[in-house]
Amino acid sequence: MDSVAQLKQRIAELEAQLAKALEKNAPAREKIENMSSEVVDSNPYSRLMALKRMGIVNNYEKIRECTVAVVGIGGIGSVTAEMLTRCGIGRLLLFDYDKVELANMNRLFFQPHQAGLSKVHAAAETLRNINPDVDIHTYNYDITTVKNFDKFTNTLTTSSLVNGPVDLVLSCVDNFEARFAINTACNEFNLTWFESGVSENAVSGHIQFICPGETACFACAPPLIVASQIDERTLKRDGVCAASLPTTMGVIAGFLVQNTLKYLLQFGKVCHYLGYNALNDFFPTLNLRPNMACEDLNCQARQTEFLAKPWLESAQEAVEDEAPIHESNEWGISLVDESKEEKESVCVAEGLRLAYTLPGVPDNTPLEQAEEATTSDANLEDLMAQMKSI
């Protein structure tokens, strides 16, 4: 009996100590509980709360109204979908026709027990467990076939949260045929999209922002293999999985989602083209301008529409209506812009070069003409004599 009484007394002492400790740590516990409810219960998209707290965006909740289509749920696409899900995107459309294989375990996303499942269904299962508040739709078919292309375009134009076009299309495919299918659809229906990819050597990649009519589409400056009409399937090497490094894929996916958030939430500057070379940590950036001789007729139509926008006309008129600084010009002096005119629709960044000349671009550039003019017979003394005679 004595031992039972002692045990009860000891339990009472421990309960008193526990109550005292809980009371002492109540403020910290309350703070943790509030943070937990902020993230999970009342505010499922608070994963972007940091953007507001740092003064970068005012309305981070807007992400819940956005619909993004991810085409290709492979190395880049699966990680991209996961990042968007963790950011609390409103609706996510997943397109792919392939199945999960054990060879795909080099990805940052798929798991061995998912082998044999379609990639879109395996991805949806994982993503819903990460954030059940995201509305995820899956489409398990090849978008490059004639039959499925119409289904693809119909989905892109009617599947937003308000039954309209999606806010953004993200291309994460691994072949040019699928990229051109996406390019054709986005040009036809005037959809903004990002193109992305990792090279065959697995240590370099890029993202490209494409706004039809305003920036170069994928057909404006096609890759050399496409321009040369080479079947890309002949370049595949047996036993080599393209873009097989999860590190490179993670870097490119991070760039892609970061610029997606900047575009959707309207902060920072969306990069038109951002490359990555892991061998020397080289990050080239450049602006890609549309090519008026683009083979895609819808791209040409979008360019015409963009140039006809009222704000562009008013801006041009404002430049033309500027009055001269000096109204009188007795000696007929004029200012001439001697800066180099752009030859290509692509401004090549330092460290890069063009593999071929775009169609419709003349070979004889203004720079070459200027160089020819400097080789004329007139020398400095002749020019000075002419000036004195005026």
Side-chain angles (χ1 to χ4, degrees), residues 284-302:
T285 60
L286 62 150
N287 292 329
L288 298 172
R289 300 182 180 179
N291 177 18
M292 289 301 296
C294 179
E295 295 182 357
D296 191 318
L297 298 181
N298 286 317
C299 176
Q300 296 185 24
R302 299 290 88 80

Side-chain angles (χ1 to χ4, degrees), residues 13-14 149 180 190 245 333 350 368:
E13 292 175 354
L14 291 175
F149 182 77
F180 272 97
N190 201 17
L245 279 183
I333 299 174
E350 181 181 357
E368 293 170 348

